[in-house]
Amino acid sequence: MIPFLDFASMHAELRQGLDAAYARVLESNWLILGKEVEAFEHEFADYCNARHCIGVANGLDALFITLKAMNIGPGDEVIVPSNTYIATWLAVSYAGATPVPVEPDPRTYNIDPARIEAAITPATRAIMPVHLYGQPADMDPIMDIAERHGLKVIEDAAQAHGARYKGRRAGSLGDAAGFSFYPGKNLGALGDGGAVVTNDDELADRLRVLRNYGSRVKYHNEVKGLNSRLDELQAAFLREKLAVLDDWNGRRGGC
């Protein structure tokens, strides 16, 4: 069970903002893929210094749908950290690909870039580094390895909202990044939620189609998609919390 947020410990201004967001959604009578989701996607993309944000149902879906949008599946391998939450591995196995674990750097407990190359085989299609506990993985050498071997890099940024690596935001470091808005995250919704952030225009287009039953236009389904959409109410709450995220991160000790 996830305890409901302790509003008594929140800033009064944020509480008012959440109340207003709730009223705004109810008054709109629009609950799925409306103006609140669109606004949050623009705001979170800007926050991450990326061109696109695609809201989905949860963080696991964010990673899984990204793999599907990249056509990674059966017969493919994806390099993952051996030290991570199970969602990283599940996303790969749900896509039909094989997770290939790489041990962590003992100084950070994140995936060790020095051990990645030895795990690459002809079946390797991608690397999925995890920014564990909000500490970014060492992305420059990971991106160098990926470029040399023609691999995609998908950040598991489920715990890293607002984190920075050499001045750059998590979410802007690889080909795409999956975020979770589970209530326990530093940017948490009042329920489940997730998003993919990317600078790849074509990938973003495929992601938007896949999350909505493979459809751009109602009752016209182009591909075998999923029902994985960030709802209007959670998007409205996230917009209010995004406005104070940097302040809250600073109170936690900085990023």
Side-chain angles (χ1 to χ4, degrees):
M1 293 289 292
I2 301 301
F4 197 63
L5 296 178
D6 178 9
F7 285 120
S9 67
M10 288 184 172
H11 301 302
E13 184 177 350
L14 176 59
R15 171 61 191 269
Q16 292 172 2
L18 294 175
D19 286 344
Y22 175 76
R24 196 166 66 236
V25 172
L26 289 189
E27 289 167 5
S28 75
N29 281 323
W30 197 293
L31 301 179
I32 301 291
L33 294 185
K35 292 182 179 180
E36 294 292 339
V37 170
E38 183 179 356
F40 173 73
E41 288 176 338
H42 284 301
E43 291 161 8
F44 194 61
D46 286 346
Y47 180 83
C48 294
N49 303 126
R51 285 203 296 271
H52 304 282
C53 170
I54 300 91
V56 296
N58 53 67
L60 172 56
D61 279 3
L63 298 174
F64 166 56
I65 296 172
T66 299
L67 290 167
K68 282 185 65 68
M70 291 178 172
N71 295 314
I72 295 173
D76 297 328
E77 294 178 351
V78 177
I79 291 173
V80 296
S82 61
N83 181 43
T84 183
Y85 186 62
I86 193 172
T88 313
W89 287 47
L90 284 176
V92 177
S93 59
Y94 282 161
T98 300
V100 176
V102 168
E103 289 295 292
D105 182 334
R107 297 170 300 175
T108 63
Y109 301 104
N110 280 328
I111 192 169
D112 187 347
R115 302 186 189 198
I116 289 176
E117 219 149 5
I120 294 174
T121 75
T124 306
R125 292 284 309 284
I127 306 169
M128 190 177 284
V130 178
H131 306 318
L132 198 62
Y133 309 127
Q135 177 180 225
D138 191 1
M139 292 298 294
D140 281 353
I142 292 172
M143 295 303 296
D144 288 343
I145 292 167
E147 184 175 358
R148 286 201 303 273
H149 292 272
L151 306 177
K152 296 293 186 181
V153 176
I154 305 161
E155 301 170 65
D156 182 338
Q159 302 176 350
H161 317 73
R164 293 182 183 273
Y165 173 80
K166 298 182 179 180
R168 292 170 287 156
R169 294 271 198 199
S172 66
L173 307 172
D175 295 290
F179 286 88
S180 167
F181 303 126
Y182 181 78
K185 308 300 184 187
N186 55 338
L187 181 59
L190 273 65
D192 264 325
V196 183
V197 171
T198 184
N199 284 311
D200 185 326
D201 298 341
E202 292 183 6
L203 179 64
D205 183 64
R206 290 195 295 274
L207 287 162
R208 291 190 179 98
V209 171
L210 282 169
R211 72 168 175 187
N212 189 35
Y213 292 104
S215 174
R216 300 173 198 272
V217 179
K218 195 169 185 179
Y219 304 131
H220 181 76
N221 305 86
E222 302 173 21
V223 295
K224 185 179 179 180
L226 301 93
N227 175 17
S228 182
R229 302 169 299 201
L230 180 66
D231 69 71
E232 284 286 283
L233 190 58
Q234 300 307 333
F237 290 148
L238 287 166
R239 292 182 68 198
E240 299 298 326
K241 296 184 75 176
L242 180 60
V244 297
L245 177 59
D246 284 343
D247 177 56
W248 283 17
N249 280 345
R251 292 173 184 233
R252 290 170 184 250
C255 291

